[in-house]
Amino acid sequence: MSDSTHSSRRARTVRRTVVTTAAVLVLAGTAAITMTVDSSDEATSGTAAGSSAAAAPALSTPTVDTAIVRESEDAGKTVNLTLDDGPDPRWTPQALELLKRHKARAVFCVTGPNAAAHPDLVKRIVAEGHRLCDHSVSHDTAMDKKPVAYQQREILDAKEMIDQASGGARIRYYRAPGGAFTPPSRQIAAAHGMRNLGWNVDPGDFRQPGAETIVRAVKNQISKGPTILLHDGGGNRAQTIEAMEQLLPWFTEQGYAFSFPRAE
């Protein structure tokens, strides 16, 4: 065999080796990239899942319906008054006096710290025939973005404070601050006998738009459903009290009966 033939074969062998090596390297590189991406995804989701799993407590079985309730427990033409963010030593007594005067009843959605600070008002709310609602500890309107363990602490720590303030009166509802419910928070509340409380009518009284604006908004929205969101805490509630002075007799004149949201 001639030298030129040997040279030609060697060249072909080298070319095959180079091509094979390149292919191996390409495949290896692809695998490495794939492994890196997969590994990174697993690490990220694993960390999130691990953190969530570590943070998320085992949730108890609900004892009441987990659905958000807005309807009345009584049939007919009804209205459900709800007052949030108290009790407040200035505004809650005024709201209670108005309710008594007009033979009306309401749900008071109280925060844990406010209940602990004003147990006399919590007891008065119960004694005068109104109902209690757990409105969390911190009134964190971003609760739905927080870990389940945090949501559970917010709900159950508040419940404990309210229980102590009231002397153990039943807390029939839980209302998430700003309506920031989640499936786990709804289950946590329902596992402790609290219906998740929504609303149909929101006149925006927390923004203090003026008593007449509040009254007008309630009258315009009441056709949406019976449960009205008002506030007796979290700020100056003079406008809400003034609006209630107009609305309570108006409800009676219009044939509404004062009811409660369904609690079972």
Side-chain angles (χ1 to χ4, degrees):
M1 187 178 293
S2 67
D3 289 343
S4 61
T5 302
H6 280 294
S7 297
S8 176
R9 287 183 175 178
R10 280 198 301 272
R12 286 198 297 273
T13 300
V14 169
R15 282 198 298 273
R16 283 198 299 270
T17 302
V18 169
V19 169
T20 302
T21 302
V24 170
L25 288 174
V26 167
L27 290 172
T30 302
I33 293 170
T34 302
M35 288 175 64
T36 301
V37 171
D38 289 346
S39 172
S40 174
D41 285 348
E42 286 174 4
T44 302
S45 62
T47 301
S51 298
S52 177
L59 301 182
S60 302
T61 302
T63 61
V64 296
D65 195 338
T66 60
I68 296 174
V69 63
R70 300 176 182 87
E71 64 273 16
S72 296
E73 63 182 18
D74 297 314
K77 190 176 181 179
T78 59
V79 59
N80 307 321
L81 300 172
T82 68
L83 292 157
D84 283 18
D85 303 348
D88 181 278
R90 181 173 183 182
W91 308 113
T92 303
Q94 293 184 50
L96 286 168
E97 286 300 322
L98 281 173
L99 293 167
K100 183 187 294 184
R101 186 187 313 159
H102 294 281
K103 297 181 174 56
R105 48 189 180 169
V107 175
F108 285 80
C109 299
V110 301
T111 67
N114 283 347
H118 307 289
D120 55 326
L121 289 176
V122 177
K123 290 182 175 69
R124 180 178 171 185
I125 287 167
V126 174
E128 296 187 5
H130 308 293
R131 290 184 179 177
L132 295 174
C133 170
D134 179 334
H135 202 33
S136 82
V137 173
S138 306
H139 199 273
D140 182 355
T141 57
M143 272 181 64
D144 55 339
K145 306 297 191 299
K146 304 294 176 62
V148 173
Y150 173 86
Q151 297 176 50
Q152 178 163 275
R153 287 193 303 272
E154 282 287 308
I155 297 167
L156 298 187
D157 287 358
K159 183 180 184 303
E160 183 176 353
M161 294 178 195
I162 300 164
D163 283 337
Q164 291 179 358
S166 71
R170 183 179 175 186
I171 305 172
R172 294 174 182 262
Y173 312 96
Y174 163 69
R175 174 173 278 166
F181 290 100
T182 64
S185 71
R186 286 163 52 185
Q187 182 173 342
I188 291 162
H192 289 81
M194 296 182 288
R195 289 298 306 269
N196 293 281
L197 180 57
W199 60 83
N200 307 109
V201 178
D202 179 6
D205 69 314
F206 69 95
R207 291 189 293 264
Q208 302 178 39
E212 294 303 324
T213 299
I214 296 168
V215 170
R216 185 166 55 252
V218 170
K219 291 180 178 180
N220 288 340
Q221 295 179 39
I222 193 64
S223 60
K224 295 180 180 179
T227 302
I228 301 174
L229 172 63
L230 295 170
H231 294 78
D232 66 325
N236 185 322
R237 298 303 166 211
Q239 294 177 7
T240 301
I241 296 299
E242 185 180 345
M244 287 178 65
E245 289 176 338
Q246 299 179 50
L247 286 168
L248 293 178
W250 181 83
F251 287 129
T252 302
E253 290 165 6
Q254 297 300 309
Y256 286 93
F258 295 103
S259 185
F260 288 118
R262 189 172 296 165
E264 302 298 341

